[in-house]
Amino acid sequence: MGVSTLCFVLGTTLPVLLAARIFEGLSTAIASTLGMALLTDVVGSKHIGRSLGYTTTALTLGLLLGPPLGGVLYEYGGYFQVFLPAFALLVVELVLRLLVVEPKAPRQQSTPPQGSSASGRPTAEQRPADPGVSDQDRSKHLRHGSQDPEREPLVAKAEDQVSQNAYVVLLCSPQFVVASLGLFVMNGIGCSFDGVLAPYIKDVLDLKATHAAVLFLVLAIPMFILGPVSGALADRCGAKWVIASGFLIVTPAVILLRIVDENATRPLLKLIVLLFFVGSGAALSLTPLRTEAIRVVDLVERENPGIFGPRGAYTRAHALMNTAIAAGSLVGPLYAGFVRIWLGWGSMSLSFGIFSSIVLVLVVMVAGGESPKTKEAQASTSV
């Protein structure tokens, strides 16, 4: 990030500015992924929702304060003075990073008692004799180092479990895929307004740039307020219905944006109300979507101890989530711009509503549930 900022300060040609943007993207991706993974390791998945909510609030605060502060510094100080807060924050961030004490090892499942398997079951020598199996057959199994075939554990020992590619395992989980899809769609909808809102209100509604600033502020304020609330609700009540409520708010709000056209009365007021609901729905769903993805990692690890290796899969899970968010940031503005030009503002808002409703249905059907393997194990335990 320091190299990127320095390139922005000194760069006067297009290649240098492009290199600065590349370095900025790389540093943001690395810092965000590792920072979220460290937060998950330190806090634990049980309370990760509220912590991610505060993180979202901090990010939103930066987005809200950055542009006006930069504008004031540029107006009264000049071009180079704009970057002074950036360098100051980089120094503060470097000092804080040096003070961070990382956990020695990722959070692991509790070690089974001595003489028990990784699943918590007693070994073959400790189990009571099965009247249906003869002593001769049982002793033969024990001599060959195998357990009683009638009492083989459903899950292999953690030390015998072969670690698999975490990306493949997570992408084969329907719950994780739905959570990532939700992040992609919701972030795509939110970022799409960056490319279409200001031109639309200027060309069609004859509003000024200051009105666009107010509308973007309306989108961001709910994220600042509701981020910790949605995270705390996800920790307490589960992420599923918090996510569903967010998409349930966003779906009609984006569809109703089609009524704001050149013939609408009080178009600015209608846009403010509808965009406030869009921002509120996004604030309710984005943090719980991350919480749901982390829950999937814990669920897979609990079902298959050691499948992700000794370091776990939190870092790779956050990497996949950040990829989904970045893809939404890239695709959203491009899609919205092309659709608005070719098909119109109404078709663009209707398509957003369709995408949001599809994710809503998938969340209700898939998110928050246990896998068939876990349900089967719980049923056998209860019996």
Side-chain angles (χ1 to χ4, degrees):
M1 185 62 75
V3 174
S4 170
T5 306
L6 189 62
C7 289
F8 277 120
V9 173
L10 303 177
T12 56
T13 61
L14 182 59
V16 175
L17 295 178
L18 287 177
R21 293 295 289 178
I22 292 174
F23 284 125
E24 181 185 19
L26 289 173
S27 61
T28 301
I30 295 171
S32 176
T33 300
L34 297 181
M36 292 293 185
L38 178 62
L39 179 67
T40 307
D41 278 337
V42 172
V43 177
S45 58
K46 185 177 181 180
H47 304 289
I48 190 61
R50 179 174 300 183
S51 301
L52 289 175
Y54 287 123
T55 303
T56 302
T57 299
L59 291 172
T60 306
L61 183 63
L63 292 175
L64 287 177
L65 296 181
L69 179 60
V72 171
L73 290 174
Y74 182 79
E75 180 72 21
Y76 295 99
Y79 179 76
F80 293 103
Q81 282 72 15
V82 173
F83 298 95
L84 293 179
F87 283 115
L89 289 175
L90 284 172
V91 173
V92 173
E93 194 273 342
L94 181 61
V95 173
L96 293 177
R97 188 171 297 275
L98 294 175
L99 295 177
V100 169
V101 179
E102 297 187 19
K104 294 181 180 180
R107 294 173 179 265
Q108 298 289 339
Q109 305 236 342
S110 59
T111 305
Q114 186 176 2
S116 299
S117 66
S119 60
R121 296 175 177 148
T123 59
E125 295 89 339
Q126 295 174 323
R127 298 190 184 104
D130 189 344
V133 181
S134 66
D135 293 338
Q136 183 179 1
D137 292 338
R138 185 179 295 105
S139 62
K140 180 166 60 176
H141 283 292
L142 294 176
R143 280 199 307 270
H144 288 82
S146 61
Q147 294 180 343
D148 190 338
E150 297 294 329
R151 299 175 181 271
E152 286 285 347
L154 296 177
V155 181
K157 291 183 179 180
E159 59 268 22
D160 296 335
Q161 178 75 42
V162 178
S163 61
Q164 300 182 23
N165 189 299
Y167 296 120
V168 175
V169 174
L170 293 176
L171 292 176
C172 288
S173 169
Q175 292 98 330
F176 190 90
V177 171
V178 169
S180 300
L181 179 63
L183 288 171
F184 169 77
V185 171
M186 188 60 75
N187 202 62
I189 292 175
C191 292
S192 66
F193 294 107
D194 294 345
V196 298
L197 187 58
Y200 180 74
I201 65 172
K202 179 179 180 298
D203 298 339
V204 178
L205 305 180
D206 197 24
L207 296 176
K208 299 179 181 179
T210 53
H211 296 126
V214 172
L215 294 175
F216 283 117
L217 191 64
V218 168
L219 267 174
I221 286 178
M223 189 70 68
F224 178 75
I225 299 174
L226 295 178
V229 176
S230 64
L233 287 174
D235 288 337
R236 181 179 296 271
C237 309
K240 176 177 181 176
W241 296 111
V242 184
I243 299 170
S245 63
F247 279 95
L248 189 62
I249 293 172
V250 168
T251 300
V254 293
I255 293 177
L256 289 175
L257 284 173
R258 62 190 290 110
I259 68 175
V260 183
D261 54 18
E262 63 273 11
N263 300 320
T265 57
R266 297 184 177 180
L268 180 61
L269 178 61
K270 292 179 179 179
L271 275 177
I272 289 175
V273 173
L274 292 174
L275 290 178
F276 177 80
F277 280 111
V278 173
S280 299
L284 281 175
S285 59
L286 285 175
T287 298
L289 281 167
R290 281 186 173 271
T291 305
E292 171 69 7
I294 294 302
R295 186 195 69 85
V296 173
V297 176
D298 291 339
L299 177 63
V300 174
E301 179 68 30
R302 186 168 64 248
E303 293 179 347
N304 305 276
I307 191 172
F308 295 127
R311 303 298 299 179
Y314 287 148
T315 303
R316 284 163 287 186
H318 283 294
L320 289 174
M321 287 187 280
N322 287 340
T323 300
I325 292 174
S329 303
L330 174 65
V331 174
L334 292 175
Y335 171 82
F338 282 118
V339 174
R340 186 209 155 215
I341 292 175
W342 291 344
L343 302 177
W345 173 265
S347 299
M348 181 201 74
S349 63
L350 179 61
S351 65
F352 285 161
I354 293 174
F355 296 148
S356 179
S357 62
I358 291 174
V359 176
L360 173 60
V361 173
L362 291 175
V363 167
V364 173
M365 293 177 59
V366 177
E370 301 289 345
S371 69
K373 184 176 181 180
T374 300
K375 292 180 179 179
E376 181 181 351
Q378 291 175 348
S380 62
T381 302
S382 62
V383 172

